[in-house]
Amino acid sequence: MIDAAGLRVMRAISDEGSFTAAAASLGYSQPAISQMVRRLEERTGTVLVERLGRTVRLTEAGTVLARHAGPVLSALEAAEAEVAAIAGLRSGRVRLMAFPSSSSTLVPRALALVKERFPDVQVTFAEAEPPESLAALRAGQCDLAVAFAYEGDDLPRGEDDTEAFTIRDLLVDEVRLAVSAKHPLAKAGSARLSDLSAEPWIAGCPRCRGHLLTLAEREGFVPEVAFETEDYVAVLGLVAEGLGVALVPDLILRSAHNPGVVTMPIDPASRRTVQAVTTPDLQRVPAVQATLDALHEAARLTC
């Protein structure tokens, strides 16, 4: 009902005392000021200006609008300044969620790039596996998620409502078999999962465990999952002690190492695609786009 232009006009009339002087102060014509006042009176349903010859006087309702114009217009100007800063990457906030095996390599490099290029942009970070991070993105609790999808698995594209997501592939991550250095297959160049059908297995997140079960089913066995942990340092520790074997993504092996563990490709090979996920609208936010670009560059440096 009341717009910023109308408030500016009411304040100018109050300050200047006439339509002509108000028009001059705002850079409008006098007829334009008269028209804006009439339109505002129609919207409010009451008389705002009392015309007294060549001068005008605000009515009680007009005085109320003029009085509120100052703080309202100041707040709008402050909002415009903040939005301009965000649009110009002089400010802004990005809430990032990423799965754990990306948080020791890919994510730190990306965050460092954003900080170096746009020091006034704040990126907050929390760890979460793809189901949780995508749910948070859908609920508006984060702006950008780093997720992954295994070959033959449409996730995260297959999640509910993911048609609203924008997905950018970052890198392809090979999944390797991890065995103890004392294991009979430790010196093999590669192995089939069926070669370890009788071994106890160590599984990670629900999606990773599901991938293990799918691969094992293709090889004709059901793995005995003896241990479950999403901490890959713990996974490697369990493997090193000969307590089980595991599938470990290549990405984690770039930062985690245990001398008691040997890793090798599996036959047939297994890979997953690491992806940055946001929404079409959020992708247009400069700080989110800058973080996406940094993730893409960090992935290129990681490969």
Side-chain angles (χ1 to χ4, degrees), residues 99 101-102 105 171 173 249-255 272 274 302:
F99 60 94
S101 59
S102 70
T105 51
L171 59 86
D173 193 22
D250 197 35
L251 190 60
I252 197 65
L253 296 174
R254 299 176 189 273
S255 60
R272 66 179 186 175
V274 178
T302 300

Side-chain angles (χ1 to χ4, degrees), residues 6 32 35 46 50 53 67 97 135 151 158 162 191 211 220 228 257 281:
Q35 185 178 16
T46 189
E50 181 184 1
R67 174 163 48 85
M97 284 189 172
E151 287 179 324
T162 51
H211 180 60
E228 295 184 51
H257 176 70
D281 287 336

